[in-house]
Amino acid sequence: MSLSLSPRPLLLGALLVATSLIAATAVAEEPRSRLDVQAEARLDVTPDRATLSARLWERTPAIARRDDTTSDPDALREARDRLETRAATLIGTLEEAGLERETISAGSLNVQPEYLPDARRDDGEHEALTRTRLERPFRIEVEDLARLPVLLDALTEAGVDALDGVTYDLADRDAASDEALVKALERARHKAELMADTLGVSLGPVVGVSENRSPVFQPRMMAMSADAREGAPQAEYRPGTISIEAGVSVSWEIEPRP
C-alpha cells in the first residue's frame, strides 16, 4: 500500500512560515521614536596659578650704518655682559622674594639690529645710524596668587624693561574640563525630562551621545606695563574667572505613557 501527499499543502505551509518571518523582521526593524536634545554649559573657574612674563634688554651705542657691520664687536660684548649681569641680579631678587629657582625660566638670547632715523651731522649732511639690541625673556611661575603683588614689586625693583603681562591658569585643567562636560550632560538630561513631561511621553534608554563642542580651556591674560605699579603701592590684582564651555547631543528612546 502506497501513500502519496499532494505538494500543494506543503507549499502553502512554507509560504505561511516565510510570511511570518518577514512580518517579524519588519516589526523588529521598525524605528523606535526618539528624542534628540542638544545642550551647552559654561563653567566659571577661579584661577589658582599664574605666569609672569618680563624682558630685559641692552643696546649697543648707535654707529654709522655700513654694509659690512651693524655694530662694534667690543660694544656688542659689553652689552651682552651688562645684560647677563642684570639677568643674574633679577634671578637673585626673585629668589630673595621666595621663589624657587625651577619656577624661573630665562629664555634664549635674542640679538637684532635696530635702524634709527637719519641723524644730521655738524656739516649738515644726514647720516644713517644703527645699533644692536640684545634681549632676554623671563617667565615666572606663581603657584600662590596672594604673592603676586610682591613678585611684581620685585620685578619692578630689579629694573625689568618690559612686563608683558600675567597669564592666569589652573593647576588641574582636566578636572575643570570634566566638570564642564558633566554640566552639559546634566543640562541635556534636564531638557529631555522637561520635553518628555510636556509632550506626555516617557524617556527610555539613551541610544546616542556625542560632543558638539569639546571643553575648551583658554588661560586668561592680563596685560600691564613696566611702570604699572608706579604711584599705586597698594594696588590689587584680581584674577577674575576662566570660562570653560562644553556642548553635547544626546538621544533617548521615547514611548507613550500608559
Side-chain angles (χ1 to χ4, degrees):
M1 180 178 179
S2 63
L3 179 64
S4 62
L5 297 177
S6 171
R8 295 184 65 185
L10 295 177
L11 179 59
L12 180 60
L15 289 174
L16 290 174
V17 172
T19 302
S20 300
L21 290 174
I22 292 173
T25 302
V27 171
E29 294 180 353
E30 182 179 352
R32 297 289 188 93
S33 297
R34 54 190 285 173
L35 175 64
D36 300 323
V37 174
Q38 293 184 347
E40 295 182 351
R42 188 179 77 174
L43 179 67
D44 294 324
V45 190
T46 301
D48 55 11
R49 66 185 306 174
T51 301
L52 291 173
S53 298
R55 286 176 292 155
L56 292 175
W57 62 66
E58 287 288 338
R59 293 184 175 96
T60 62
I63 61 175
R65 191 182 309 173
R66 303 183 184 90
D67 294 335
D68 57 341
T69 184
T70 58
S71 64
D72 176 68
D74 291 336
L76 190 62
R77 183 175 57 256
E78 292 173 1
R80 180 170 182 175
D81 290 343
R82 292 196 306 270
L83 181 62
E84 296 303 329
T85 300
R86 293 179 61 200
T89 301
L90 173 61
I91 293 174
T93 301
L94 292 173
E95 289 179 339
E96 290 176 1
L99 281 181
E100 300 292 335
R101 179 172 288 267
E102 57 268 19
T103 65
I104 307 169
S105 175
S108 301
L109 178 66
N110 180 32
V111 180
Q112 61 183 11
E114 291 184 345
Y115 300 101
L116 306 180
D118 292 353
R120 184 184 295 273
R121 298 187 309 196
D122 294 339
D123 58 7
E125 296 294 327
H126 289 273
E127 184 178 38
L129 299 178
T130 184
R131 63 188 177 189
T132 301
R133 171 167 158 164
L134 297 87
E135 181 177 295
R136 289 285 300 273
F138 287 84
R139 288 171 55 88
I140 301 97
E141 303 295 333
V142 184
E143 297 184 356
D144 182 4
L145 295 186
R147 301 185 63 244
L148 187 58
V150 175
L151 296 176
L152 288 171
D153 281 341
L155 287 172
T156 303
E157 292 170 3
V160 295
D161 297 294
L163 278 174
D164 294 324
V166 182
T167 302
Y168 292 102
D169 206 335
L170 294 174
D172 193 346
R173 295 186 180 186
D174 290 340
S177 297
D178 290 348
E179 187 176 349
L181 183 58
V182 168
K183 287 188 66 175
L185 291 169
E186 291 174 344
R187 176 62 179 163
R189 180 76 186 188
H190 172 75
K191 290 177 65 175
E193 291 173 347
L194 178 62
M195 295 168 70
D197 288 341
T198 303
L199 298 175
V201 296
S202 297
L203 290 179
V206 173
V207 295
V209 60
S210 63
E211 281 186 293
N212 293 339
R213 178 190 302 174
S214 299
V216 177
F217 181 89
Q218 293 290 342
R220 184 173 179 270
M221 181 73 178
M222 184 181 75
M224 61 176 57
S225 61
D227 60 350
R229 291 185 52 83
E230 289 185 4
Q234 301 301 321
E236 295 183 10
Y237 297 88
R238 301 179 183 273
T241 58
I242 297 174
S243 296
I244 306 174
E245 296 182 350
V248 296
S249 293
V250 188
S251 298
W252 282 267
E253 286 187 358
I254 57 173
E255 56 185 18
R257 290 180 179 175

